[in-house]
Amino acid sequence: MLGWFLFIAGAYLAGSVPFGLLLGRLRGVDLREHGSKNIGATNAGRVLGRKWGAVCFVLDVFKGAVPTLAAGLWSGAIHDSALSAEREALWTAVALAAILGHVFPVWLRFRGGKGVATSLGALLALYPIVTLPAAGALVVWLVSLRVTRYVGLSSSLAAAALPLLVLAASLTPVWEERAVAPVLGLTALLAALVIWRHKGNLARTLRGEEPRVGS
């Protein structure tokens, strides 16, 4: 259990690294004072430019993926086709810790980003059980963004789709004898968290006040 505790704590600290804020400071800008005042990739792209927004997105994805993947390799969870519910829950706790680190970073008085990129990385790393559902949620996000050009709405739709995609995937042979409940619970919790973090964006979208990508 000590090993799992160290991975969970390490994942939280990794998730807490505010890459958006650090990239902004490299450019002489504090993202907390510009645009939506969020330290995530979307605001980084708006304030610093698309290139820097893309760099921030990739870094935020990696800080969710690396500790989750490392924990899976260390514990053998990635290769265990009959993973117990306990080990499944501990592995998903590592993924959740990385995401919560981004949303509630200790370095910034627990005021962080909205968790979309870090969630994507952490869920893709829960291989193979959540990789395809996470990729499916990414497709939902891309299609919605293409059609609506609203980042907040697209993120919320992708988050809402994720537990449904996990439930569908659990009916396929990929899951074999793995436990479903811990992952389904994690993705449902993340969906609620992402939608809650985007409640302001959704309200502005309904009022017609939310800026579109490219506008």
Side-chain angles (χ1 to χ4, degrees):
M1 287 300 295
L2 176 60
W4 281 112
F5 174 79
L6 292 176
F7 267 104
I8 291 170
Y12 172 79
L13 293 176
S16 292
V17 178
F19 283 120
L21 183 63
L22 295 175
L23 290 172
R25 286 184 172 173
L26 284 176
R27 303 286 293 170
V29 176
D30 189 336
L31 290 183
R32 296 171 298 179
E33 298 176 356
H34 299 274
S36 65
K37 301 182 180 181
N38 189 271
I39 64 168
T42 300
N43 196 42
R46 286 172 179 163
V47 176
L48 305 175
R50 290 185 180 180
K51 179 183 73 174
W52 291 101
V55 171
C56 182
F57 182 84
V58 170
L59 290 173
D60 283 348
V61 167
F62 269 90
K63 74 182 185 182
V66 170
T68 306
L69 184 60
L73 292 171
W74 164 78
S75 66
I78 285 179
H79 307 294
D80 191 347
S81 61
L83 198 62
S84 68
E86 180 184 5
R87 279 211 296 159
E88 190 84 79
L90 288 167
W91 193 20
T92 57
V94 175
L96 179 60
I99 297 162
L100 292 179
H102 177 77
V103 178
F104 306 108
V106 64
W107 323 113
L108 302 178
R109 299 181 180 180
F110 306 103
R111 297 175 183 175
K114 295 181 179 178
V116 175
T118 306
S119 295
L120 175 63
L123 295 175
L124 286 173
L126 287 172
Y127 180 86
I129 50 177
V130 194
T131 304
L132 286 178
L138 177 60
V139 171
V140 171
W141 184 83
L142 290 170
V143 171
S144 176
L145 188 63
R146 175 86 178 191
V147 172
T148 69
R149 291 192 293 131
Y150 287 124
V151 175
L153 175 61
S154 300
S155 299
S156 298
L157 289 174
L162 182 60
L164 300 178
L165 291 169
V166 166
L167 188 60
S170 71
L171 303 177
T172 69
V174 172
W175 282 75
E176 297 179 354
E177 298 178 24
R178 289 175 180 263
V180 178
V183 176
L184 190 58
L186 169 67
T187 53
L189 177 62
L190 290 181
L193 178 63
V194 169
I195 293 171
W196 174 71
R197 291 289 287 171
H198 285 88
K199 62 183 185 300
N201 304 76
L202 296 174
R204 288 191 296 273
T205 299
L206 289 173
R207 296 196 300 267
E209 299 172 358
E210 178 75 354
R212 297 174 185 262
V213 171
S215 61

